[in-house]
Amino acid sequence: MSGSVDRELSPAPPLKLSLRGVRKSYVGRAGPVLAVDGIDLDVSEGEFVCLVGPSGCGKSTLLSLVAGLERPDGGAVLADGKPVVGPGRERTMMFQEHALFPWRTVEGNVRFGLELKEGLDRATRGEVAEHYLRLVGLEGFRRAWVHELSGGMRQRVALARALAPNPRVLLMDEPFAALDAMSRERLYEDLQRIFAARRTTVLFVTHNVREAACLGDRIVVMSARPGRVVGEVRVALPRPRDINRSDVVEHAREVTRLLSVPAGAAS
Amino acid sequence: MRRLAARAAFVGLALGAWQVASSLATSRVLLPPPADVLAWVGRAAADGTLAASALVTLRRLAVGYLLGLAVGLPLGVLCARWRLAEDTVGLAAVGVQSLPSVCWAPLAMLWFGANERAMLFIVLMGTVGSIVLATAHGIRSVPSIYARAARTMGSKGLHTWTSVIVPASMPAVVAGMKQAWAFAWRSLMAAEIYVVVAGHAGLGLLLHYGREFHAMDQVLGVILLIVTLGVAFDRLLFAPVEAALHRRWGTGRTP
Ligand SMILES: Nc1ncnc2c1ncn2[C@@H]1O[C@H](COP(=O)(O)OP(=O)(O)OP(=O)(O)O)[C@@H](O)[C@H]1O
Ligand SMILES: [Mg+2]
């Protein structure tokens, strides 16, 4: 492996995220909707934070704000203390639907972010893409088209594509919601293996409290209309964690309790 | 192999039906049998008329169609990007699209005279509308999540256009280009029957003379040639592109 590949593959230092009084509203058909309001959230370097909350509480909105795809109406979104002004490859994102490009092969998708990096030659990009495909267990599918893959394989490619530009924050919006339990559990193992080897700050949205307890260092619980943070649960269990272990389930129960507290009573 | 056999059988059946129909017709002039038509094709091919006319027509078609693409593609992009263009150019495209382009022939003759420019104008008016509409629609139908995903990986501005929006819109744009190609043929045949350019006889003019002289073997021969050219261009120009798109998107499989 050449020096530039090594450099490219050594994980970038993770970012610290801070949200301060973040407010965001949308103007929709039914008039303005206050999606999130007064969100304060800190995610430290290399921390894996899960966001859970009822549908429509603004979880995707928060990720879009951190990604820089949307701008807050009030408050501040800070990455390492600097305001986020737009999207950038130090904060990549995995979407609920895989959002892979059908006109590119599996490898072409993983290369997309690499092609935007200056100073990488073709061979280096190829080796880096290869590395991430191996990491997600799809090295044999380099030349496949996206529609030829199963749902779980697509999300693996999406993960490889999001990791390849070597982000400092990975934003994941319910990436496994559409998968069957078996593919999901395999992905939990792989995800834990991948993040054991690299410290990347992760903000992970999910509906699934067990998934949150299995993956997160911390679980942030939100309430809806407008979206607010109502509480959090720390998960200090050793990794790798099995989602069916009783202590994981215990933490998940605590999250469920927080979710069922009526809004307003929590603060 | 089986598909080839099916096609050959289909063509053979059509020829047989034609033979039977022409033997039932009261006069050979009404519906000449396949042999007469093929004989005319053979004569016209031998004396060079066929190749010369086909060349004249194909040249007009190519130039007019490329002109339509050159004008229509950018206008389509503009319509997709910009509300004002959509409300003006887009509306005009719908109007032009709904008008059979041979309607422009009287004006075109007046403006340009009976010459190549009049022909090209008519072909252009026949193609540009459908290209504008298909391009605008193709671009607008690109799921926004593609561009959002690209932007999180550092893509912006022109790069997002060239490496996300353009490839993502290809299935719809190519379908529009294919439709415009068919429109170009229709426009040009009407124009060639209507506008006679001295010294440049296209296939349409051969149809015109065929009618004047009641030479239905000639008319059917030219029709046969046009159909053959149409199928050939579809196979050579569009089918490979469509197949490539289908392979990528996983669409278009016959059961
Ligand atoms: N583009 C938009 N236009 C108008 N309203 C929007 C838009 N995006 C989100 N909203 C509104 O903002 C609120 C929060 O939406 P968001 O997608 O962030 O919720 P969510 O927590 O991700 O929900 P889910 O768990 O169902 O994905 C919702 O009430 C939604 O109606
Ligand atoms: Mg969501």
Side-chain angles (χ1 to χ4, degrees):
Chain A
M1 236 191 253
S2 69
S4 63
V5 174
D6 281 339
R7 211 172 322 118
E8 206 40 52
L9 290 182
S10 64
L15 261 177
K16 173 178 158 44
L17 294 173
S18 325
L19 283 73
R20 294 276 172 271
V22 168
R23 189 179 73 242
K24 173 73 187 172
S25 54
Y26 290 105
V27 183
R29 265 305 256 288
V33 180
L34 189 54
V36 293
D37 194 16
I39 300 280
D40 288 307
L41 179 65
D42 282 285
V43 182
S44 45
E45 293 90 342
E47 195 179 16
F48 196 122
V49 170
C50 294
L51 277 177
V52 300
S55 185
C57 73
K59 304 180 297 291
S60 298
T61 303
L62 270 191
L63 285 199
S64 297
L65 288 165
V66 175
L69 291 168
E70 310 272 0
R71 307 292 296 273
D73 299 323
V77 178
L78 307 169
D80 271 353
K82 287 186 284 290
V84 167
V85 291
R89 63 166 165 258
E90 83 272 10
R91 286 162 284 120
T92 59
M93 183 145 167
M94 241 181 108
F95 298 84
Q96 180 162 0
E97 326 89 87
H98 59 77
L100 295 174
F101 303 142
W103 60 91
R104 283 178 170 243
T105 58
V106 163
E107 193 200 354
N109 270 279
V110 178
R111 290 174 84 115
F112 186 90
L114 299 169
E115 288 164 10
L116 285 151
K117 280 191 156 180
E118 314 78 36
L120 295 188
D121 56 23
R122 262 185 90 81
T124 308
R125 287 199 293 259
E127 279 189 50
V128 174
E130 176 100 37
H131 168 84
Y132 283 102
L133 283 174
R134 227 179 302 120
L135 197 64
V136 298
L138 287 179
E139 61 273 32
F141 291 86
R142 277 179 41 216
R143 310 194 48 191
W145 299 112
V146 172
H147 71 88
E148 296 169 329
L149 307 179
S150 72
M153 290 157 85
R154 287 178 203 182
Q155 287 303 39
R156 286 169 185 274
V157 177
L159 177 62
R161 183 175 78 167
L163 286 174
N166 204 354
R168 303 177 62 194
V169 174
L170 180 59
L171 305 166
M172 304 173 83
D173 192 355
E174 303 191 41
F176 310 139
L179 305 182
D180 63 285
M182 232 157 63
S183 333
R184 254 195 333 245
E185 288 186 19
R186 257 205 312 280
L187 273 158
Y188 298 150
E189 286 167 25
D190 288 339
L191 215 56
Q192 295 187 68
R193 171 177 55 80
I194 290 167
F195 286 107
R198 64 183 291 152
R199 281 179 76 238
T200 302
T201 308
V202 181
L203 201 50
F204 186 104
V205 166
T206 175
H207 268 121
N208 185 331
V209 291
R210 293 260 292 269
E211 179 172 289
C214 174
L215 297 174
D217 295 315
R218 189 150 58 95
I219 304 165
V220 172
V221 181
M222 294 176 66
S223 72
R225 257 166 277 282
R228 289 181 202 280
V229 174
V230 294
E232 63 172 55
V233 174
R234 275 188 184 281
V235 189
L237 301 173
R239 290 195 171 93
R241 302 170 187 160
D242 181 336
I243 192 163
N244 298 312
R245 259 174 50 176
S246 60
D247 42 7
V248 169
V249 175
E250 193 46 52
H251 281 83
R253 257 196 218 114
E254 202 179 329
V255 175
T256 309
R257 262 197 301 281
L258 276 174
L259 278 168
S260 55
V261 173
S267 57
Chain B
M1 209 52 221
R2 277 189 48 196
R3 296 181 65 190
L4 196 70
R7 277 174 210 173
F10 175 74
V11 171
L13 222 68
L15 282 174
W18 175 7
Q19 180 69 50
V20 170
S22 73
S23 66
L24 295 175
T26 46
S27 148
R28 279 181 95 96
V29 178
L30 279 183
L31 184 59
D36 286 17
V37 173
L38 289 179
W40 178 84
V41 171
R43 279 199 307 280
D47 71 10
T49 339
L50 216 52
S53 309
L55 226 61
V56 167
T57 293
L58 288 177
R59 230 196 97 243
R60 288 172 178 161
L61 205 58
V63 177
Y65 181 64
L66 290 177
L67 204 62
L69 288 180
V71 176
L73 290 174
L75 285 181
V77 172
L78 215 62
C79 286
R81 266 320 292 259
W82 195 24
R83 178 62 61 72
L84 185 64
E86 163 70 14
D87 291 343
T88 54
V89 178
L91 187 69
V94 175
V96 165
Q97 157 87 327
S98 57
L99 182 74
S101 70
V102 73
C103 300
W104 293 101
L107 267 181
M109 299 252 285
L110 200 68
W111 290 348
F112 305 106
N115 57 28
E116 291 301 317
R117 276 157 65 198
M119 292 286 182
L120 291 185
F121 178 75
I122 295 169
V123 175
L124 177 66
M125 295 314 274
T127 52
V128 77
S130 76
I131 294 172
V132 170
L133 294 178
T135 307
H137 172 258
I139 289 173
R140 265 196 306 263
S141 314
V142 173
S144 61
I145 194 164
Y146 291 152
R148 286 163 65 85
R151 288 170 64 210
T152 63
M153 289 181 280
S155 169
K156 51 174 125 47
L158 191 65
H159 183 270
T160 308
W161 267 86
T162 54
S163 54
V164 179
I165 308 291
V166 168
S169 65
M170 271 335 249
V173 172
V174 167
M177 286 168 62
K178 184 173 167 174
Q179 190 194 35
W181 175 252
F183 280 134
W185 264 107
R186 283 158 176 67
S187 309
L188 184 60
M189 285 309 100
E192 284 188 347
I193 292 175
Y194 194 96
V195 183
V196 177
V197 180
H200 289 87
L203 293 173
L205 195 66
L206 291 186
L207 284 173
H208 176 75
Y209 286 151
R211 185 192 67 183
E212 299 277 287
F213 299 118
H214 295 288
M216 290 307 127
D217 51 351
Q218 174 167 342
V219 170
L220 281 169
V222 174
I223 287 177
L224 216 57
L225 180 61
I226 292 175
V227 168
T228 310
L229 285 175
V231 171
F233 275 103
D234 181 72
R235 286 300 125 110
L236 293 175
L237 242 55
F238 293 105
V241 179
E242 285 178 315
L245 291 174
H246 284 320
R247 261 198 310 282
R248 283 161 177 71
W249 266 258
T251 49
R253 285 221 200 86
T254 43

